[in-house]
Amino acid sequence: MLYLLISFVSFIILSKSFTNKPLNEVDRGTKLVSSWFLRNIPILLLSRLKKGTIFALKISHFHLGMPLKKKSLVSYNEEDERNKFFCLLDLPDLALDCILENLSASELCSVATVCKSLRDRSRSDYLWRKHMERKWSKVIGDAAFRQWQCHVDSRNRENMKKFFNQRNKKGVFAFLYGFDPFIWMKSKSQKVRESRSSIPDDSIMALYLCLESGKFWFPAQVYNRENGHAGFMLSCYDAQLSYDSRTDTFQARYSPHGRWTSEENIKWERLRVPPIGTSPHVLHISYCLEDLRPGDHIEIQWRRNKEFPYGWWYGVVGHLESCQGHGNHCHCHNDDMVILEFNQYTPGSRWRQTMINRKHHREQGNQIDGFYGGIRKLESKEEISMWKNLWPTKVVEY
């Protein structure tokens, strides 16, 4: 058990140092020490807590240019001896919260094993929400939170089912009166372990730890799936992901056509939160078609056949062959037809270019060239920059 003990001057001297009476030289030194100690105690506790040490600080060790005379200290009696140490929980709430907020996730888990009061404090959603945002906000979105909630509800149903099954086995007294005739058989250590492991399933701490352990598979999207295979260059596909804390990478499962394919060692920079809530099996409704102009950056849905899910592919809006000029002389935006270019492919490739109708756009294509679906116009510089960073070092011959 972790104890943080601090040796302190008696309560009488500490309270005396805050009175409004004129201070002599000795009292003034005592008050300087007290005020310094109160200002710096969160920093001292935090540094010691991170080292995992049990420590005691003697007030007589600190001098701020005003020496303390031994005769000025009140001699300890038995009550002073009992009260000269106090634990971390004796700190004001603000100071204690300041310490906990500066701890890492693993350190919060360690603090939670000290006692019930610290366990409750260190498991609060307020503390763990910051850790979630700091590490997981770039890959955990609304879809992942919804899936986690379904996971929690499923576990709760299973636990309730086990609970009633166990009570039925223990007989009528346990069912009617909540009495467990075998509860005395549980050892004290077993009860303590059960208490410490009972993290609420619906807490942010539980979600964080499940993500860290890799037990929770969550939905996200992967750039350039299957290790940058030429057939998926500059694309982004939905997948179920699991984190591997040993390598700080992810494992992905894709479901193209009734069977799962997997990929390992996926780095953080190849992942993103799905930008829209549309299912990968549903056509995205395009609201940007009237605004498309040459040079705009877009993502378009594409799939091999109608049984496969859509992936998002990066492209740019090009000029029509009939266009005679650029800039102010370009009238492509007034035409119903829009040219989409995928310049990662070699000129002449059937994947290099496609044309859509901005007035009557629906899913279009065939079994040879695949099927093109909805379109997103990219407005964010961050999204455009991400695609450019993934640009292949050479033109893809495919």
Side-chain angles (χ1 to χ4, degrees):
M1 183 180 292
L2 178 65
Y3 291 98
L4 302 177
L5 303 176
I6 302 176
S7 178
F8 207 70
V9 295
S10 67
F11 179 78
I12 298 174
I13 293 180
L14 182 62
S15 59
K16 182 180 178 181
S17 66
F18 288 99
T19 61
N20 294 324
K21 295 179 180 181
L23 300 175
N24 56 33
E25 181 179 351
V26 174
D27 291 337
R28 189 179 297 109
T30 303
K31 185 170 183 179
L32 282 172
V33 172
S34 301
S35 61
W36 178 91
F37 194 81
L38 290 175
R39 286 198 312 271
N40 291 276
I41 193 170
I43 301 173
L44 292 169
L45 287 174
L46 180 59
S47 63
R48 295 293 180 174
L49 184 61
K50 288 190 173 182
K51 293 179 181 178
T53 58
I54 301 174
F55 66 99
L57 298 176
K58 292 185 178 180
I59 195 65
S60 59
H61 288 175
F62 298 94
H63 303 277
L64 299 179
M66 188 63 66
L68 301 179
K69 298 180 181 179
K70 291 184 178 180
K71 65 180 182 180
S72 67
L73 297 178
V74 179
S75 60
Y76 286 123
N77 54 32
E78 292 182 0
E79 184 177 357
D80 294 330
E81 188 69 23
R82 287 195 302 268
N83 295 330
K84 74 174 182 177
F85 295 103
F86 70 93
C87 72
L88 187 65
L89 295 176
D90 292 329
L91 290 174
D93 289 344
L94 184 60
L96 183 55
D97 289 342
C98 178
I99 293 172
L100 296 178
E101 287 176 10
N102 285 277
L103 297 181
S104 66
S106 61
E107 289 166 343
L108 278 178
C109 290
S110 297
V111 172
T113 64
V114 175
C115 64
K116 184 179 184 302
S117 180
L118 285 177
R119 181 176 71 232
D120 294 340
R121 280 181 173 271
S122 60
R123 290 179 177 179
S124 71
D125 286 349
Y126 170 76
L127 295 174
W128 286 93
R129 186 175 289 109
K130 292 184 177 181
H131 290 290
M132 278 293 300
E133 292 175 355
R134 187 178 299 121
K135 182 168 184 177
W136 293 99
S137 60
K138 292 184 179 180
V139 296
I140 298 294
D142 293 339
F145 281 112
R146 287 194 297 268
Q147 187 161 309
W148 170 252
Q149 189 59 53
C150 292
H151 172 75
V152 170
D153 293 341
S154 176
R155 288 185 59 176
N156 288 339
R157 287 193 296 269
E158 291 178 4
N159 291 336
M160 289 297 295
K161 186 176 180 180
K162 291 179 181 179
F163 173 75
F164 284 111
N165 287 341
Q166 290 175 356
R167 296 187 65 147
N168 289 336
K169 291 179 182 179
K170 292 171 184 175
V172 64
F173 290 102
F175 181 77
L176 293 177
Y177 304 108
F179 172 70
D180 184 356
F182 303 103
I183 194 169
W184 59 271
M185 298 178 64
K186 291 185 178 180
S187 65
K188 182 178 179 181
S189 60
Q190 182 180 356
K191 294 177 183 178
V192 171
R193 287 195 301 270
E194 290 178 356
S195 175
R196 289 183 176 180
S197 62
S198 58
I199 302 174
D201 288 336
D202 59 349
S203 66
I204 298 179
M205 178 182 182
L207 171 57
Y208 186 97
L209 296 181
C210 278
L211 288 169
E212 287 285 332
S213 67
K215 295 179 180 179
F216 176 55
W217 289 77
F218 61 93
Q221 292 182 343
V222 182
Y223 291 101
N224 293 351
R225 59 176 282 185
E226 299 185 19
N227 295 312
H229 186 279
F232 297 101
M233 190 60 66
L234 292 188
S235 67
C236 197
Y237 274 79
D238 288 81
Q240 291 289 320
L241 294 159
S242 173
Y243 179 63
D244 185 352
S245 59
R246 296 170 301 175
T247 60
D248 194 29
T249 60
F250 294 83
Q251 179 183 356
R253 293 176 180 172
Y254 309 99
S255 178
H257 182 42
R259 63 181 180 86
W260 287 97
T261 59
S262 63
E263 180 183 353
E264 297 180 346
N265 299 319
I266 301 173
K267 296 183 179 181
W268 286 84
E269 54 265 27
R270 288 181 54 203
L271 303 178
R272 75 173 183 183
V273 174
I276 57 176
T278 305
S279 166
H281 296 275
V282 175
L283 178 70
H284 171 64
I285 305 301
S286 307
Y287 297 103
C288 63
L289 297 180
E290 293 293 333
D291 300 327
L292 293 180
R293 295 171 177 266
D296 286 343
H297 301 263
I298 57 98
E299 291 178 11
I300 186 170
Q301 289 177 313
W302 182 87
R303 57 182 172 179
R304 172 69 69 178
N305 60 53
K306 293 195 175 184
E307 295 178 344
F308 278 56
Y310 285 113
W312 289 98
W313 293 73
Y314 171 73
V316 295
V317 178
H319 291 273
L320 297 169
E321 292 183 2
S322 59
C323 181
Q324 300 298 320
H326 299 276
N328 295 331
H329 301 286
C330 176
H331 301 285
C332 294
H333 60 279
N334 295 324
D335 201 291
D336 289 346
M337 305 306 296
V338 180
I339 292 288
L340 303 179
E341 297 178 344
F342 307 94
N343 296 323
Q344 64 268 34
Y345 295 105
T346 56
S349 169
R350 59 184 172 135
W351 309 110
R352 173 82 176 195
Q353 194 177 87
T354 191
M355 183 179 292
I356 65 166
N357 188 315
R358 74 170 84 224
K359 296 290 186 182
H360 308 287
H361 178 60
R362 298 288 186 273
E363 183 183 58
Q364 63 183 47
N366 52 58
Q367 295 293 336
I368 298 176
D369 297 330
F371 295 85
Y372 294 90
I375 297 174
R376 291 182 59 235
K377 180 180 177 181
L378 302 183
E379 305 283 359
S380 168
K381 292 182 179 180
E382 183 178 356
E383 281 189 296
I384 297 171
S385 176
M386 183 64 197
W387 284 113
K388 289 183 176 180
N389 291 336
L390 295 168
W391 197 268
T393 55
K394 60 180 180 180
V395 178
V396 180
E397 296 182 4
Y398 196 76

